[in-house]
DNA sequence: TCTGGGGTCCTAGGACCC
DNA sequence: TCTGGGGTCCTAGGACCC
């Protein structure tokens, strides 16, 4: 008794809920948030779900019906979501111990020795985040992370709030047999199909499967899932760096363009921009990169789809924006098809090492940022992303609030809400009478 | 006309070594 | 006809997550 439970706190329809924080008039209205370029639906409020709108639908296909139904659509506003997420996470970490941030809208925490105290803390945490940030949470407690995920799913289906595995199990001893195996954390589409072939169709079936057999037919990951469904903790999230948060092992910056582009100059500008953004994230986590990959692709939905990629091994690990941007752009002439209409490009940084522990040998030195990167980072923090950068003269100033480049490859974001927590000129205005 | 953007981990198989 | 047996390291690809 008294073993500490896993607590999973997960925001309800996070992006859609964020849109409501500074626009309370959106409460109780159907909202969808669209992916970059206003492409697909990525988040729906409960009201939008009730209208039968599912995730991943292309907006242009459902737009007329949705607007007819009174659905409000927003471009995704990651700046706002990231800022609200950080506030929410800090608040939760102050209430319960051992937070592991799992994604922008969910984290695991550990309960207290006394289950009663854990229950009280969960309730307090939910009220505090709702009042202090304006985001509704679903909170689930269970002896393993996998069961906490299941409780969370189940609780959200019931309308959200707080759920507990022991209570659920007590009310409905066969609850796992009522949950499709595809809903289990770690079981995706492919595994679902293969498991069904072995007559494993529910979470209950999977929990009763022989772990050794599962290991043999699948992998150690799924074996751990079986144990977790039985209440035995087997999954660790241990790459958490207490000092700098998550230290990524790979950094990718990639975008679909607002319009297709052709030719080296435009493509170079886009790739240079993404390389600099990736380098900023690299410096933020205090890493150096040893290898960089650039990829470009035409539309997979049109004839003659082509995707190419090229890599550069850097002679010395680097975090300086000039080296990284230059290396990224240098891959393009070898890859580019001068007639192709590209719709997407990206830059990936790999072979990351810690800048702090990088050892220099004679004749081998890291291409460390000589101060330029730091200045760029500071300027961009102060004046907004992409205010200043290397080599993109002439593409500035046509975007909203002069904060985006005016280039045609820039994302389409026609329904962007205000970034009220990160931009002075987009602060929420309150009038008192 | 119009279909996202990140990440992680594991496994299999090849290269190479003794 | 015969053509060892391991170990390690690396990479590509597959699977999953949100």
């Amino acid at each position: 008794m008294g073993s500490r439970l896993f607590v999973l706190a997960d925001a309800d329809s996070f992006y859609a809920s964020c849109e409501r924080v500074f626009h309370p008039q959106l409460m109780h209205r159907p909202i969808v948030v669209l992916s970059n370029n206003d492409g697909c639906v990525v988040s729906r409020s409960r009201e939008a779900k009730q209208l039968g709108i599912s995730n991943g639908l292309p907006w242009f296909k459902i737009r007329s019906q949705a607007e007819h139904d009174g659905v409000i659509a927003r471009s995704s506003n990651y700046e706002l979501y990231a800022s609200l997420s950080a506030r929410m996470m800090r608040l939760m970490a102050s209430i319960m111990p051992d937070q592991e941030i799992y994604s922008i809208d969910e984290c695991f925490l550990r309960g207290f020795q006394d289950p009663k105290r854990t229950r009280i803390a969960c309730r307090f945490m939910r009220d505090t985040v709702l009042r202090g940030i304006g985001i509704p949470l679903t909170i689930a407690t269970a002896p393993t992370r996998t069961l906490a995920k299941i409780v969370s799913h189940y609780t959200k289906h019931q309308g959200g709030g707080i759920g507990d595995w022991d209570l659920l199990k007590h009310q409905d001893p066969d609850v796992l047999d009522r949950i499709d195996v595809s809903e289990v954390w770690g079981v995706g589409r492919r595994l679902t199909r293969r498991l069904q072939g072995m007559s494993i169709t529910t979470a209950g079936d999977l929990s009763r499967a022989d772990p050794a057999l599962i290991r043999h037919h699948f992998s150690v990951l799924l074996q751990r899932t079986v144990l977790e469904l039985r209440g035995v903790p087997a999954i660790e999230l241990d790459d958490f760096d207490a000092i700098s948060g998550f230290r990524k092992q790979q950094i990718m910056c990639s975008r679909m363009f607002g319009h297709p582009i052709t030719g080296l100059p435009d493509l170079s500008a886009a790739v240079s921009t993404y390389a600099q953004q990736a380098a900023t994230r690299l410096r933020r986590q205090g890493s150096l990169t040893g290898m960089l990959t650039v990829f470009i692709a035409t539309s997979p939905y049109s004839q003659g789809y082509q995707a190419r990629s090229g890599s550069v091994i850097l002679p010395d690990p680097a975090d300086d924006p000039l080296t990284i941007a230059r290396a990224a752009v240098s891959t393009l002439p070898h890859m580019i098809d001068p007639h192709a209409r590209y719709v997407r490009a990206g830059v990936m940084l790999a072979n990351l090492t810690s800048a702090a522990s990088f050892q220099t040998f004679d004749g081998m030195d890291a291409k460390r940022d000589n101060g330029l990167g730091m200045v760029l980072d500071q300027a961009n923090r102060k004046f907004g992303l992409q205010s200043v950068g290397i080599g993109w003269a002439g593409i500035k100033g046509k975007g909203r609030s002069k904060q985006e480049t005016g280039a045609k490859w820039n994302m389409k974001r026609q329904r962007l809400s205000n970034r009220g927590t990160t931009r002075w000129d987009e602060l929420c205005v309150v009038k008192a009478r």
Side-chain angles (χ1 to χ4, degrees):
Chain A
M1 279 289 91
S3 72
R4 295 163 68 206
L5 293 172
F6 287 94
V7 178
L8 172 62
D10 188 346
D12 297 342
S13 310
F14 182 58
Y15 298 165
S17 297
C18 286
E19 292 295 333
R20 283 176 171 157
V21 168
F22 293 109
H23 296 280
Q25 70 274 20
L26 296 181
M27 212 56 84
H28 309 303
R29 304 208 43 190
I31 304 173
V32 299
V33 176
L34 306 176
S35 62
N36 279 340
N37 270 321
D38 296 344
C40 299
V41 174
V42 290
S43 176
R44 308 100 78 211
S45 70
R46 182 202 311 278
E47 297 77 8
K49 287 175 192 167
Q50 279 164 355
L51 288 171
I53 298 175
S54 40
N55 253 340
L57 289 176
W59 175 237
F60 75 90
K61 280 191 181 166
I62 60 164
R63 176 174 176 176
S64 65
Q65 181 64 46
E67 285 180 340
H68 177 261
D69 291 339
V71 172
I72 314 238
R74 290 276 187 259
S75 301
S76 44
N77 189 343
Y78 287 108
E79 215 172 297
L80 176 70
Y81 310 153
S83 145
L84 291 177
S85 169
R87 294 181 184 196
M88 176 175 95
M89 294 301 176
R90 269 201 302 276
L91 197 50
M92 286 195 275
S94 73
I95 295 170
M96 294 183 96
D98 297 336
Q99 182 184 51
E100 294 165 333
I101 297 172
Y102 180 64
S103 73
I104 192 165
D105 74 324
E106 65 189 293
C107 66
F108 290 102
L109 301 128
R110 294 303 290 267
F112 301 101
Q113 288 294 340
D114 174 9
K116 194 170 155 209
R117 188 176 165 206
T118 302
R119 274 200 300 280
I120 293 170
C122 287
R123 211 157 287 140
F124 176 72
M125 189 161 76
R126 186 165 189 276
D127 292 346
T128 307
V129 170
L130 189 59
R131 238 178 317 116
I133 316 284
I135 300 287
L137 296 176
T138 289
I139 300 179
T141 52
T144 67
R145 292 185 173 86
T146 304
L147 286 173
K149 284 290 234 185
I150 283 182
V151 173
S152 179
H153 262 264
Y154 188 92
T155 308
K156 284 193 176 197
H157 262 285
Q158 311 294 310
I162 294 180
D164 172 66
W165 170 248
D166 283 339
L167 201 65
L168 190 59
K169 179 90 177 152
H170 182 72
Q171 286 165 355
D172 181 358
D174 301 323
V175 63
L176 285 185
D177 291 316
R178 277 181 247 296
I179 293 170
D180 200 276
V181 74
S182 64
E183 288 180 37
V184 175
W185 191 37
V187 178
R189 270 226 308 276
R190 303 297 267 268
L191 284 179
T192 298
R193 229 180 308 142
R194 288 175 57 198
L195 285 166
Q196 281 167 346
M198 300 169 66
S199 302
I200 296 174
T201 61
T202 68
D205 292 337
L206 187 57
S207 74
R208 289 183 294 268
D210 175 8
L213 195 75
I214 292 291
R215 161 91 214 232
H216 180 251
H217 284 294
F218 300 91
S219 71
V220 64
L221 292 172
L222 197 61
Q223 181 189 33
R224 289 181 192 149
T225 299
V226 173
L227 296 177
E228 289 244 326
L229 285 173
R230 297 177 177 189
V232 180
I235 295 177
E236 291 300 324
L237 302 176
D238 51 8
D239 47 355
F240 192 73
D241 186 322
I243 297 162
S244 59
F246 283 104
R247 181 161 288 166
K248 308 248 164 58
Q249 296 172 25
Q250 176 181 314
I251 290 173
M252 172 151 63
C253 182
S254 108
R255 294 278 181 282
M256 304 279 303
F257 304 135
H259 302 281
I261 63 178
T262 299
L264 191 58
D266 276 348
L267 217 47
S268 298
V271 163
S272 170
T273 304
Y274 303 159
Q276 291 174 58
Q277 279 181 36
T280 296
R281 280 152 59 189
L282 187 73
R283 289 190 296 276
R284 186 162 57 211
Q285 70 168 31
S287 297
L288 302 170
T289 176
M291 187 183 80
L292 157 170
T293 302
V294 174
F295 57 92
I296 53 178
T298 62
S299 169
Y301 302 101
S302 64
Q303 285 291 316
Y305 170 62
Q306 49 165 286
R308 304 233 170 109
S309 70
S311 299
V312 183
I313 309 264
L314 297 173
D316 307 304
D319 69 349
D320 120 74
L322 261 179
T323 307
I324 292 174
R326 212 176 264 153
V329 170
S330 77
T331 61
L332 288 173
H334 315 295
M335 294 196 287
I336 196 169
D337 169 349
H339 305 296
R341 302 172 76 236
Y342 292 100
V343 301
R344 173 196 183 89
V347 175
M348 244 174 74
L349 307 181
N351 292 359
L352 305 193
T353 50
S354 160
S357 64
F358 184 76
Q359 302 291 317
T360 57
F361 301 100
D362 285 342
M364 181 185 165
D365 202 359
K367 276 276 180 282
R368 291 306 310 279
D369 171 33
N370 57 11
L372 176 64
M374 215 170 65
V375 170
L376 292 180
D377 291 347
Q378 277 169 2
N380 283 328
R381 248 199 311 277
K382 190 159 175 187
F383 300 109
L385 201 65
Q386 294 183 13
S387 297
V388 52
I390 305 158
W392 59 50
I395 57 171
K396 276 296 301 174
K398 287 175 244 161
R400 172 172 160 184
S401 308
K402 298 192 161 68
Q403 301 289 4
E404 271 101 33
T405 73
K408 66 182 166 196
W409 43 266
N410 219 66
M411 295 193 274
K412 195 160 65 187
R413 294 204 287 182
Q414 288 169 344
R415 300 154 178 272
L416 188 64
S417 49
N418 283 345
R419 294 163 284 195
T421 55
T422 50
R423 306 269 178 153
W424 286 112
D425 52 353
E426 296 183 19
L427 268 183
C428 185
V429 177
V430 180
K431 298 191 173 80
R433 275 190 291 201

